[in-house]
Amino acid sequence: MRARVFITPKKGVLDPQGKAVERSLHALGFAEAHDVHLGKYIELSIEGGDRAQAERRTDEMCRRLLANGVIEDYRFELQD
Amino acid sequence: MRWGVVTFPGSNDDHDALYALDHVLGQDAVSLWHKERDLKGVDCVLLPGGFSYGDYLRCGAMARFSPIMESVVELARRGGFVWGVCNGFQVLCEAGLLPGALIRNRSLQFICTPVQLRVEETETPFTNQYTRGEIISIPIKHGEGCYIADPVTLEQLEENRQVVLRYVDSSGRATPEANPNGALNNIAGIVNAQRNVFGLMPHPEHAVEKLVGGEGGLRLFQSLITAHADGTHRPAAAVAPGH
């Protein structure tokens, strides 16, 4: 099974990178672009187990290492 | 007093810390390797600055899982002294020994400069040799030093007087201009509620000699040496595995 994990800055947490990219987009003439946030995308393969177990395990991976709950939110998708 | 300085792959201030402790302060300081679990009987573990594990994923995120950190967390839980400088501060936050997190500087730039700090709290083992409100100069050098915490945590930190050092201007005001990295409430250093774990972004080990960079950081070390000699903070005895 393949997991695709998306990690983004928590709402309200300062995101200077997002701000800088937004300013650059505006400078290029993309005035319609707002609320730019930069995050991380992580892919991994999961061996064995059923879907429910893979979901539980991936969630645990996110909580314990992949994301820092103080500053980041995460979500993930599983593909067979 | 016996000190241990941890070397992670990517640490680069470990030898500066050992030099400050050994040569300048005449302390018994030993090096601790990240793959080991033995703390060699030290009274304080210092997690140095650098780029442990290449800052992969997040600063300090990987170092937290190294074997030595199991022993460091255990020492902290028993009330032993644990001190993180810069990357060490990031590791302590990732390990949950200190609240909050350190994110990218507001300017997105790596900043290397001396800063003015106001000593906010002197009733800690790390700052007992300063007077409250005193302004000291210590250098910073980091790209991810912006301290943040959720509003409730931040309020608790302030209420419990756990904010030990704050970035200020030369007249001692914690203004936005004096804040080098965007840290909430101009926070440069904090202690845990038990006051035995200390984390700060500035580098006191780079401010221990008049000849190079001044002596602004010297009394942080001397404070802990004094606290240890007084015996006001003593860790509980180690519990043997299996008990």
Side-chain angles (χ1 to χ4, degrees):
Chain A
M1 207 168 295
R2 196 92 181 130
R4 296 144 59 93
V5 181
F6 302 86
I7 296 161
T8 47
K10 248 188 167 50
K11 256 202 159 47
V13 167
L14 293 169
D15 181 10
Q17 289 190 89
K19 280 268 175 304
V21 172
E22 186 173 318
R23 275 197 302 273
S24 297
L25 286 172
H26 291 171
L28 284 170
F30 298 104
E32 69 274 33
H34 289 292
D35 298 324
V36 180
H37 291 292
L38 270 70
K40 293 191 190 90
Y41 171 64
I42 300 169
E43 283 185 336
L44 57 113
S45 294
I46 298 167
E47 269 177 46
D50 56 16
R51 200 179 176 84
Q53 192 189 341
E55 210 165 298
R56 256 200 324 277
R57 298 285 287 173
T58 310
D59 190 69
E60 199 181 334
M61 289 179 212
C62 290
R63 277 188 289 110
R64 294 189 58 195
L65 176 64
L66 302 181
N68 177 341
V70 177
I71 48 175
E72 295 167 327
D73 287 325
Y74 65 86
R75 66 182 177 84
F76 59 86
E77 296 165 358
L78 294 174
Q79 280 180 328
D80 291 317
Chain B
M1 178 176 177
R2 193 167 164 85
W3 300 70
V5 178
V6 176
T7 299
F8 297 108
S11 294
N12 62 13
D13 292 323
D14 42 348
H15 285 274
D16 297 63
L18 286 167
Y19 172 85
L21 291 165
D22 182 352
H23 285 256
V24 181
L25 287 143
Q27 295 296 293
D28 175 15
V30 295
S31 184
L32 301 172
W33 183 238
H34 69 111
K35 281 189 175 165
E36 287 164 12
R37 284 187 168 80
D38 181 10
L39 295 183
K40 299 181 181 171
V42 300
D43 303 297
C44 175
V45 171
L46 195 146
L47 305 180
F51 302 85
S52 59
Y53 297 84
D55 276 352
Y56 294 162
L57 193 64
R58 294 178 307 276
C59 304
M62 305 288 181
R64 173 199 160 187
F65 294 99
S66 58
I68 196 87
M69 281 306 292
E70 288 174 27
S71 308
V72 172
V73 169
E74 197 263 340
L75 176 70
R77 301 256 184 261
R78 282 193 286 122
F81 296 124
V82 178
W83 181 342
V85 174
C86 197
N87 187 227
F89 187 10
Q90 295 162 342
V91 174
L92 291 176
C93 288
E94 282 282 343
L97 290 177
L98 289 173
L102 293 140
I103 61 168
R104 189 70 71 92
N105 294 346
R106 184 181 42 187
S107 64
L108 293 175
Q109 284 171 336
F110 188 96
I111 306 170
C112 183
T113 183
V115 292
Q116 307 289 316
L117 302 164
R118 192 171 67 210
V119 181
E120 299 289 82
E121 177 62 359
T122 52
E123 286 175 25
T124 83
F126 305 92
T127 51
N128 58 48
Q129 298 298 300
Y130 295 94
T131 45
R132 192 179 277 183
E134 192 177 339
I135 298 168
I136 59 175
S137 177
I138 298 181
I140 56 165
K141 47 171 186 129
H142 59 245
E144 283 93 356
C146 175
Y147 181 81
I148 65 162
D150 64 79
V152 175
T153 304
L154 201 62
E155 203 181 307
Q156 280 173 349
L157 284 175
E158 295 287 1
E159 224 165 73
N160 298 337
R161 303 200 61 85
Q162 286 171 249
V163 176
V164 170
L165 297 168
R166 229 185 281 275
Y167 302 109
V168 294
D169 63 19
S170 49
S171 48
R173 288 169 310 177
T175 60
E177 294 74 30
N179 187 342
N181 50 32
L184 294 179
N185 296 13
N186 285 42
I187 290 172
I190 57 169
V191 287
N192 64 341
Q194 293 74 35
R195 285 163 146 65
N196 64 314
V197 180
F198 177 37
L200 77 167
M201 286 315 295
H203 288 265
E205 78 281 11
H206 295 334
V208 291
E209 287 176 307
K210 275 202 178 113
L211 186 64
V212 276
E215 294 180 322
L218 204 52
R219 277 180 288 155
L220 289 175
F221 297 103
Q222 288 164 341
S223 293
L224 195 51
I225 294 165
T226 305
H228 178 258
D230 288 351
T232 40
H233 275 75
R234 280 272 187 269
V239 178
H243 286 261

